[in-house]
Amino acid sequence: MRLFAARGSKDVTMSDLAEEADVARGTLYRNARSIEQLFQQASAQLVADLHDANARVMDDHRYLDPPLRLATAIRMIVRRAHENPAVGRFLVQFGLTEESLREALIGPPMHDLEAGVTAGRYAVAPEMKLSFVSLLIGAVVSAMWMVLEGHQTWREAGTGTAVLVLCALSVPREEASKLATAPLPTPPENL
């Protein structure tokens, strides 16, 4: 991820990757057909790990309310970009351009959006759901960029983004602000 993000593209060689990973080129050739395959695997694994980490800490009764769950997820992902800049840079660089990341990012947010609509917490017309998820992904990627570039702290960027996203879903601003500043759970150690 560091190498892809540093280069800003998938324009790396097996030799570059072998050197970065401190393994022999033959090891990579035996385990991957191409740079594209390695990139897709890394992308899919990263997104799965991020969603799994968020789900593990939010799957208890405190996070059943969809707006609280969404605000918490946004803040946790922005915090993760701060804590692991390689992950953040990778997501900022490729989060809006790679099909595998777009598809993976749409899954859990779309489910949470559906839960909020079903619970009557969000006012989103059915034809606007994909637009909302697109807005959500763009807002979170932009918040991570703000943190990585030093324009805001992860708390400022995460909280501001959570408030704006919740307000876009028709959550009253005062409630959105309260939810976006609720204490965060402790993230899992392994991501």
Side-chain angles (χ1 to χ4, degrees), residues 117-132:
V117 170
T118 300
R121 296 288 280 137
Y122 302 149
V124 178
E127 67 273 9
M128 296 299 292
K129 289 178 183 175
L130 285 177
S131 294
F132 172 75

Side-chain angles (χ1 to χ4, degrees), residues 70-79 139-140 142-144 146-147 152-166 176 179-181 184:
L70 180 58
T72 301
I74 290 169
R75 294 167 59 220
M76 287 178 63
I77 289 173
V78 173
R79 177 175 66 185
V140 172
S142 295
M144 288 187 287
M146 295 290 285
V147 171
Q152 291 185 318
T153 67
W154 70 264
R155 286 179 184 87
E156 293 166 333
T159 298
T161 300
V163 169
L164 290 171
V165 166
L166 291 176
L179 294 171
T181 56
L184 286 175

Side-chain angles (χ1 to χ4, degrees), residues 1-162:
M1 284 186 310
R2 273 191 310 273
L3 191 55
F4 287 127
R7 296 272 172 94
S9 71
K10 293 180 279 184
D11 189 25
V12 298
T13 65
M14 286 289 197
S15 295
D16 295 333
L17 289 170
E19 183 178 327
E20 178 75 15
D22 197 26
V23 299
R25 278 189 359 214
T27 301
L28 288 178
Y29 283 112
R30 281 190 300 279
N31 293 295
R33 291 185 306 270
S34 67
I35 297 292
E36 180 69 28
Q37 181 194 28
L38 283 171
F39 179 84
Q40 294 300 330
Q41 288 172 336
S43 298
Q45 188 62 53
L46 171 61
V47 172
D49 289 348
L50 285 170
H51 288 302
D52 179 61
N54 276 5
R56 281 186 281 146
V57 298
M58 290 194 300
D59 281 347
D60 69 34
H61 70 281
R62 290 175 293 187
Y63 299 100
L64 293 180
D65 181 44
L68 176 59
R69 187 174 178 86
L70 180 58
T72 301
I74 290 169
R75 294 167 59 220
M76 287 178 63
I77 289 173
V78 173
R79 177 175 66 185
R80 181 63 63 191
H82 164 76
E83 292 170 347
N84 189 335
V87 166
R89 290 190 198 300
F90 187 85
L91 289 170
V92 166
Q93 187 66 36
F94 301 108
L96 297 175
T97 59
E98 289 303 319
E99 189 63 30
S100 63
L101 283 175
R102 278 194 303 268
E103 287 179 21
L105 287 171
I106 287 172
M110 184 59 85
H111 299 304
D112 284 346
L113 175 63
E114 293 286 348
V117 170
T118 300
R121 296 288 280 137
Y122 302 149
V124 178
E127 67 273 9
M128 296 299 292
K129 289 178 183 175
L130 285 177
S131 294
F132 172 75
V133 172
S134 173
L135 172 97
L136 173 64
I137 294 168
V140 172
V141 167
S142 295
M144 288 187 287
W145 179 84
M146 295 290 285
V147 171
L148 293 168
E149 293 297 314
H151 298 293
Q152 291 185 318
T153 67
W154 70 264
R155 286 179 184 87
E156 293 166 333
T159 298
T161 300

